[in-house]
């Protein structure tokens, strides 16, 4: 459903000027307002990818729920997984305000027409991986999502406010796991360092390719959907996280890492972008497993959705 279909052709220029003015004045664009079709499609692509990532991201952690080392750890991990499901709900709902149904969004995911974050196609081999996901993966997500609280589309911006508050809890949960392991036995320390070694570089890739190779950045900045570049956000994450690693005794797996006293920033070695694009294109360790699991769960839950719909229809007639 194209937004421009609701406007007479002779009035489109006027509506476009009004849209541009609201963007310029940092005012929010709301669902009932006219917007360029390219803006709507960009938002659907970005928001749906975000929603899919939240839901797919439940899988690697859910795999460790029954194996968490204590009842407290199980409770915290369960709460975190529930949060991620809620984040997906907020974001799917925000997408629906743009005239696309949740069924369509999920069909796009299952057909491979929509992406989710490549980070979730890496396996969780031990409990330290859960710590690394919380600290590094969710830490990277927070850096990106704090910026999105100021995005130009109202429903997306408001969803990010609550999501960021909950993600900060997730990041602290992961950091606590890693810090605790670094105070433990030699084997536990080695396990934590191994997780750091495996998750550091994929976490840096989460911000996307360098600005010069990012195909959607131009429009995102023009429409103020995005406020900071991939490289700016990645640098912010690097500077913060390296200091956190030093506090608990973890080593960043980068032989080229150095601190530039003139810029006040850490400088890293080259990122393996061939690996990034390979995982995105379906060649990661868990791509097929993650998607097959989601398809099966969606199919098994069909009767629940049908029952809920029948219940709603029955009571709406009363």
């Amino acid at each position: 459903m194209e937004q421009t279909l609701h406007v007479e052709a002779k009035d489109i220029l006027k509506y476009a000027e009004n849209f541009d003015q609201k963007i310029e004045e940092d005012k929010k664009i709301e669902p009932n307002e006219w917007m360029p079709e390219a803006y709507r499609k960009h938002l659907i692509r970005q928001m749906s990818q975000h929603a899919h990532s939240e839901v797919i991201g439940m899988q690697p952690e859910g795999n460790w729920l029954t194996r968490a080392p204590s009842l407290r750890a199980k409770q915290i991990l369960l709460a975190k997984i529930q949060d991620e499901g809620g984040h997906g709900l907020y974001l799917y709902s925000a997408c629906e305000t743009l005239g696309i149904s949740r069924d369509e969004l999920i069909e796009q995911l299952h057909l491979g027409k929509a992406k989710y974050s490549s980070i979730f196609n890496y396996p969780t081999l031990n409990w330290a991986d859960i710590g690394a996901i919380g600290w590094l993966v969710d830490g990277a997500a927070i850096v990106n999502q704090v910026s999105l609280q100021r995005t130009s589309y109202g429903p997306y911006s408001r969803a990010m406010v609550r999501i960021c508050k909950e993600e900060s809890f997730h990041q602290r949960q992961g950091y606590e796991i890693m810090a605790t392991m670094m105070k433990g036995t030699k084997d536990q320390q080695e396990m934590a360092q191994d997780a750091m070694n495996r998750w550091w570089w994929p976490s840096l890739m989460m911000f996307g390719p360098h600005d010069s190779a990012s195909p959607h950045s131009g429009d995102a900045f023009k429409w103020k959907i995005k406020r900071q570049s991939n490289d700016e956000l990645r640098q912010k994450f690097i500077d913060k996280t390296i200091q956190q690693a030093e506090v608990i005794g973890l080593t960043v797996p980068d032989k080229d890492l150095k601190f530039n006293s003139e810029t006040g920033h850490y400088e890293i070695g080259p990122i393996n972008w061939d690996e990034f694009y390979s995982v995105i294109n379906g060649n990661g360790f868990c791509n097929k497993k993650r998607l097959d699991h989601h398809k099966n769960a969606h199919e098994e839950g069909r009767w629940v959705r049908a029952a809920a719909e029948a219940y709603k229809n029955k009571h709406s007639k009363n």
Side-chain angles (χ1 to χ4, degrees), residues 25-44:
E25 294 174 355
D26 267 344
K27 294 180 179 178
K28 300 300 182 193
I29 306 299
E30 299 297 342
N32 60 345
E33 298 175 344
W34 183 92
M35 63 188 73
E37 182 65 8
Y39 177 82
R40 187 183 79 92
K41 289 181 176 179
H42 184 110
L43 283 168
I44 289 174

Side-chain angles (χ1 to χ4, degrees), residues 264-280:
H265 296 299
Y266 287 93
E267 297 177 356
I268 64 169
I271 296 173
N272 184 354
W273 292 113
D274 288 341
E275 177 184 329
F276 172 76
Y277 288 113
S278 178
V279 175
I280 281 182

Side-chain angles (χ1 to χ4, degrees), residues 17-219:
E17 290 175 348
N18 183 60
F19 172 86
D20 290 340
Q21 183 177 352
K22 292 196 74 171
I23 294 294
E24 180 65 26
E25 294 174 355
D26 267 344
K27 294 180 179 178
K28 300 300 182 193
I29 306 299
E30 299 297 342
N32 60 345
E33 298 175 344
W34 183 92
M35 63 188 73
E37 182 65 8
Y39 177 82
R40 187 183 79 92
K41 289 181 176 179
H42 184 110
L43 283 168
I44 289 174
R45 180 196 61 78
Q46 181 171 330
M47 291 162 62
S48 67
Q49 179 173 317
H50 193 166
H52 298 327
S53 299
E54 296 283 357
V55 174
I56 295 291
M58 299 165 70
Q59 292 186 38
E61 295 175 314
N63 185 42
W64 278 91
L65 189 55
T66 59
R67 295 181 284 171
S70 68
L71 179 59
R72 176 179 178 272
K74 286 180 171 65
Q75 290 174 314
I76 293 173
L77 185 57
L78 178 60
K80 181 185 177 185
I81 294 169
Q82 290 175 321
D83 282 349
E84 307 294 8
H87 298 173
L89 175 63
Y90 307 152
L91 293 163
Y92 283 132
S93 297
C95 269
E96 288 177 314
T97 66
L98 292 166
I100 187 169
S101 71
R102 198 167 313 184
D103 287 341
E104 289 177 273
L105 294 169
I106 293 174
E107 181 181 23
Q108 289 175 0
L109 174 65
H110 290 173
L111 293 175
K113 295 180 179 179
K115 304 287 188 182
Y116 58 87
S117 178
S118 61
I119 194 76
F120 299 117
N121 290 317
Y122 290 85
T124 46
L125 305 180
N126 54 55
W127 178 246
D129 288 37
I130 302 302
I133 288 176
W135 173 39
L136 299 176
V137 175
D138 291 326
I142 290 171
V143 171
N144 188 49
Q145 292 168 6
V146 165
S147 178
L148 286 172
Q149 290 179 113
R150 297 173 54 237
T151 195
S152 61
Y153 188 56
Y156 195 19
S157 172
R158 291 188 287 272
M160 294 316 306
V161 173
R162 178 165 181 174
I163 289 175
C164 284
K165 290 179 180 178
E166 294 175 348
E167 290 289 1
S168 65
F169 153 74
H170 302 168
Q171 194 267 350
R172 290 196 296 273
Q173 173 250 10
Y175 191 62
E176 180 188 81
I177 291 173
M178 299 297 272
T180 300
M181 295 187 76
M182 290 303 291
K183 294 177 182 176
T185 65
K186 185 173 183 293
D187 285 345
Q188 289 171 329
Q189 293 170 2
E190 290 177 353
M191 187 182 295
Q193 183 62 58
D194 175 64
M196 175 74 174
N197 295 346
R198 288 183 287 106
W199 289 93
W200 171 252
W201 291 105
S203 296
L204 298 187
M205 296 176 196
M206 282 180 66
F207 295 95
H210 292 306
D211 301 328
S212 58
S214 181
H216 302 290
S217 288
D219 285 341

Side-chain angles (χ1 to χ4, degrees), residues 292-307:
D292 285 350
H293 183 87
H294 190 278
K295 290 177 181 177
N296 292 337
H298 187 71
E299 185 60 33
E300 289 173 3
R302 185 179 298 277
W303 71 271
V304 178
R305 297 191 296 277

